[in-house]
Amino acid sequence: MKTFSRRNFLQRCAALSALATASRKVPAWASQKGINERLNVAVIGPWNRGHASLHAMLKENVRAICDVEESYLQKAGEMAPKAEKFQDYRKLLETIHDLDGICVCTPDHTHAAPSIQAMRQGIHCYCEKPLAHNVQECRWMEEIAAEKKLVTQMGTQIHAGENYRQVVELVQSGAIGTVEEVHVWFGGSWSLPADVQRPEETPPVPATLDWENWIGPAPMRPYHPCYVPGKWRRWWAFGNGTMGDMACHYIDLPFWALGLKNCLSAEAIDPVPVNAEGAPSSLEIRFTFPNLTLTWYDGGRRPALLKEKNIPDRHAGVLFVGKEGILFADYTTHQLYPEEKFADFQAPEPWIPRSIGHHAEWLQAIRDNRPDATTCPFAYSGRLTETVLLGTVAFRAGGKIVWDADALQITNLPAANPLLTRQYRPGWEL
């Protein structure tokens, strides 16, 4: 149990008294759970990717589950038979008044809406990556979490792994000297051909799918199987292509190891034609940070350095290029180059605390009422996601963008600023 100072205790009592006077529900941040007391949690999108989050919550009290697809809702209900079922997250949050935490595992375009509504009600939040669909939503989520003093975590599960910690320790111990450039790549591709447009045919909505709530805050369009399930990642209205899907996982590693926060600029290198409707077949985006460049590659593109330095090509990975050597890493392995130089290298003694598990960190931090105890809180993962999404903005804008993070503006290409946010459907405004 956390120990409070007398000043904090008095402030806490005053806050609780005010809440009681107003006859409002005491928010999650204003209470602590005993070490053996189960938390009341809800999972929105509890199947497919969300299945892992639901499974991680089963030792808690799963009060509610929500999914726009009835068949998924029924399958999830078999795992959590006592949970109330909803197809509209807004009704869930209006109905269930004792939630400690919520897991949001929906498509990207509906990450921010339930997360923000829940956090405004004082509910701790776990949200899958990317944190939001656009840059503005990321900043809102970061600011609300800070204002409400909530425990948050973005679902970059690999961040909890042993290998990432070892790589961070190598970089920060100076094993390869000062890092001047980073290359990050992923070989897959969520893309649309450059000439593909929205389908004109309007097949009937499946009986089990609530299309109105699947669309959520996005502008309404007719149902088509080219969007669901999963294929929504290809369309700008709902996802952000390969980069939006995978870059938060891999760019997370240099962000952590190098203490990055806000990029200075982003630029698409040798871009393919822009399709206003959907994501490109491949991307190469160069970000600048103070004293550092970071380049992202997807869809088969690779850093030239792999061939130049005779480093084996892998499907995905990160190259840290330092003055004293190169460090490759992926999810589970890492290697120093040139190998002969580091043949007798001794890794530093571990100093980063090993994780109890990505979901477990979040749950324990809620019990301890410690917003600073998770390793991917929105204060960190919000800026990571902003950077990733600025890469897609630079591609769609057709030119280098210069970023003012404090003002939340692109300063050299004002016409690109609308890509930082979206128009919200009436009744779904954030």
Side-chain angles (χ1 to χ4, degrees):
M1 185 70 74
K2 183 177 177 181
T3 301
F4 292 92
S5 68
R6 182 176 183 274
R7 179 182 179 186
N8 285 340
F9 174 78
L10 293 173
Q11 290 175 336
R12 187 179 174 86
C13 288
L16 292 174
S17 175
L19 284 165
T21 301
S23 299
R24 293 172 59 190
K25 180 179 78 74
V26 176
W29 57 261
S31 62
Q32 286 179 285
K33 293 282 185 177
I35 191 168
N36 295 317
E37 189 176 355
R38 294 196 300 169
L39 301 173
N40 293 328
V41 296
V43 182
I44 301 179
W47 208 247
N48 295 326
R49 175 62 249 168
H51 179 272
S53 286
L54 177 58
H55 187 269
M57 297 299 113
L58 293 180
K59 291 184 179 179
E60 308 300 333
N61 182 27
V62 181
R63 288 281 285 110
I65 52 177
C66 178
D67 203 296
V68 297
E69 171 53 58
E70 187 177 350
S71 64
Y72 295 161
L73 194 59
Q74 296 307 315
K75 290 177 183 178
E78 293 174 6
M79 294 177 62
K82 294 182 179 180
E84 293 190 47
K85 300 183 183 70
F86 298 85
Q87 284 194 286
D88 186 334
Y89 76 84
R90 295 169 300 178
K91 291 182 179 178
L92 184 159
L93 291 170
E94 290 169 2
T95 304
I96 309 297
H97 299 298
D98 59 352
L99 290 176
D100 297 295
I102 191 168
C103 294
V104 178
C105 312
T106 60
D108 297 359
H109 71 291
T110 48
H111 278 186
S115 297
I116 286 174
Q117 183 173 335
M119 289 193 294
R120 283 175 175 156
Q121 293 178 209
I123 300 169
H124 303 291
C125 186
Y126 180 107
C127 183
E128 276 294 340
K129 58 76 195 164
L131 190 60
H133 183 252
N134 61 62
V135 172
Q136 177 64 79
E137 290 175 350
C138 290
R139 191 64 64 89
W140 282 335
M141 290 174 72
E142 177 188 345
E143 291 173 348
I144 294 168
E147 175 192 346
K148 297 289 188 178
K149 299 180 177 62
L150 296 170
V151 176
T152 58
Q153 184 92 302
M154 183 173 77
T156 44
Q157 294 82 11
I158 198 64
H159 191 100
E162 175 77 10
N163 186 61
Y164 266 32
R165 279 160 168 70
Q166 292 173 343
V167 171
V168 173
E169 289 164 347
L170 284 170
V171 172
Q172 294 186 356
S173 69
I176 58 171
T178 302
V179 175
E180 299 176 316
E181 57 184 278
V182 180
H183 301 270
V184 188
W185 70 96
F186 180 77
S189 179
W190 282 102
S191 62
L192 288 175
D195 60 348
V196 167
Q197 299 301 312
R198 296 188 201 183
E200 295 183 0
E201 63 271 22
T202 57
V205 179
T208 57
L209 177 63
D210 184 339
W211 184 245
E212 164 76 16
N213 278 306
W214 189 92
I215 287 286
M220 177 55 75
R221 65 176 66 186
Y223 162 82
H224 195 278
C226 70
Y227 304 127
V228 294
K231 292 172 282 189
W232 52 265
R233 290 182 176 87
R234 297 184 170 103
W235 300 85
W236 295 128
F238 311 122
N240 282 281
T242 310
M243 191 170 191
D245 186 34
M246 295 306 299
C248 284
H249 282 308
Y250 285 95
I251 294 180
D252 172 34
L253 187 53
F255 250 71
W256 186 8
L258 299 169
L260 304 180
K261 185 175 183 181
N262 300 309
C263 71
L264 302 176
S265 68
E267 179 180 11
I269 307 301
D270 190 23
V272 300
V274 175
N275 181 341
E277 291 289 341
S281 58
S282 66
L283 271 181
E284 183 174 340
I285 304 291
R286 184 165 299 150
F287 300 95
T288 61
F289 294 84
N291 305 311
L292 177 77
T293 62
L294 186 155
T295 308
W296 165 265
Y297 313 77
D298 65 38
R301 299 195 188 204
R302 295 289 193 278
L305 200 63
L306 291 174
K307 288 186 177 180
E308 292 172 9
K309 299 297 184 180
N310 197 29
I311 298 173
D313 188 4
R314 283 92 159 179
H315 179 71
V318 180
L319 282 184
F320 295 89
V321 183
K323 290 185 176 181
E324 304 299 328
I326 296 173
L327 172 58
F328 165 83
D330 58 15
Y331 280 1
T332 58
T333 65
H334 61 271
Q335 178 68 53
L336 291 161
Y337 295 96
E339 291 184 78
E340 59 274 14
K341 176 177 178 178
F342 292 98
D344 298 321
F345 178 79
Q346 295 295 314
E349 287 293 321
W351 74 78
I352 300 173
R354 271 37 189 172
S355 177
I356 60 175
H358 206 58
H359 290 91
E361 286 180 15
W362 179 66
L363 294 169
Q364 186 59 48
I366 294 174
R367 285 191 167 84
D368 294 341
N369 194 22
R370 286 193 56 195
D372 62 342
T374 58
T375 53
C376 287
F378 294 174
Y380 166 84
S381 55
R383 300 306 173 100
L384 165 61
T385 307
E386 282 184 22
T387 300
V388 168
L389 298 181
L390 284 169
T392 65
V393 169
F395 166 73
R396 297 173 70 186
K400 180 177 181 178
I401 59 173
V402 177
W403 181 236
D404 183 338
D406 292 336
L408 208 72
Q409 286 188 347
I410 297 165
T411 59
N412 68 316
L413 198 61
N417 280 309
L419 294 172
L420 302 175
T421 185
R422 77 177 316 155
Q423 291 185 341
Y424 293 92
R425 205 152 56 100
W428 294 83
E429 298 88 353
L430 302 186

